[in-house]
Amino acid sequence: MRLKKSHKIGLIVAGIIMAVALILSGTKVFFFVFGVSLLVAALPFVMTVVNQTRIANEKEIMFLEFSRNLVESVKTGTPISKSIINMRTKSYGVLTINIKKLANQISLGIPLNPALQVFAKDVNNKTISRALTLIGQAERAGGNISGILESVTEAVTISDKLKKERKATISTLVVQGYIIFFVFIIIVLVMQFAILPMMGGIGGGESKGGAIAGLGGIGGISVGGGVSVNPSEMANAFLYLLLIQGLFSGLTIGKLSEGSAKAGLKHSFALVLSSFLISAGANLIWGV
């Protein structure tokens, strides 16, 4: 991924926040400010991935519109090359510039098949590339080009329809995934701030078998024959658990809903951000 202006700005802002965190080193807010700097650094990259996913979906929708118009033009008896040239004045969203380039290449005398290959390379979309390959081979082989174009358009339509149906079907699972994750956060926080401190208050001496000794105390929870566990270390361990769970839960949600782990980065960022803010905020409020 090439660094853009927004990426550089995000990294600069993150560096400033990280410098502030280093100044606050040793205080309760150090870890919180340091985590914010990492999230700020990651935000522009996540937004770029989200934008790329949106553009990819829009490309498929606009290509479907382009294919339908091309079929209608070819059905009237206009050659496919001439039809593409006639369609360069129409607007096809993010594909407009690519279709104009395709039409200009054909008008300059470049054969259709090589021009379609350049178009596919520029668009960089698997669904569109497959469809363009079929169109190019059909034009080279001759025959009923309008019928082949209709078949290609129908295939793209079915693919788009299946994606939408899968997304609609999985939407309930996506909501359930978010609910389960936030329930998991609640369980972890209850363990951290209620159950473990309560266990630390059970007795103050050594048990019969010596397995649990010196539970309680201001310094931390002592387990396993008096080995003390630092509360801040325990809080960090729980936070790492939540961050890892949020990262992979988001990737799983993206894979299920949109068929791509890359599309799940937005879910991962949302879950990681939520878990960090909730956990770090709770640690600040309750003084862990």
Side-chain angles (χ1 to χ4, degrees), residues 31 34 39 51 58 66 89 101 108 129 138 150 171-172 178 216:
F31 191 76
F34 184 79
L39 291 172
N51 190 49
E58 187 178 347
F66 169 73
T89 57
K101 180 179 178 180
L108 290 174
S129 296
E150 281 189 70
S171 60
T172 303
Y178 273 86

Side-chain angles (χ1 to χ4, degrees), residues 101-169:
K101 180 179 178 180
L102 173 64
N104 291 335
Q105 287 178 323
I106 294 174
S107 63
L108 290 174
I110 298 176
L112 178 62
N113 205 37
L116 289 176
Q117 291 177 2
V118 174
F119 181 75
K121 184 178 179 181
D122 291 341
V123 172
N124 192 24
N125 183 283
K126 291 182 179 180
T127 302
I128 296 176
S129 296
R130 286 195 296 265
L132 290 173
T133 300
L134 289 174
I135 294 174
Q137 294 299 324
E139 193 273 339
R140 175 186 294 179
N144 186 9
I145 187 67
S146 62
I148 296 173
L149 284 174
E150 281 189 70
S151 299
V152 171
T153 303
E154 184 179 355
V156 176
T157 303
I158 292 174
S159 176
D160 182 65
K161 184 178 179 182
L162 289 175
K163 286 182 180 180
K164 290 180 179 179
E165 288 179 354
R166 181 180 63 183
K167 194 171 183 179
T169 304

Side-chain angles (χ1 to χ4, degrees), residues 1 11 63 70 74 101 195 212 268:
M1 182 185 295
L11 292 174
F63 180 76
L70 187 60
V74 172
K101 180 179 178 180
I195 297 178
I212 302 176
S268 293

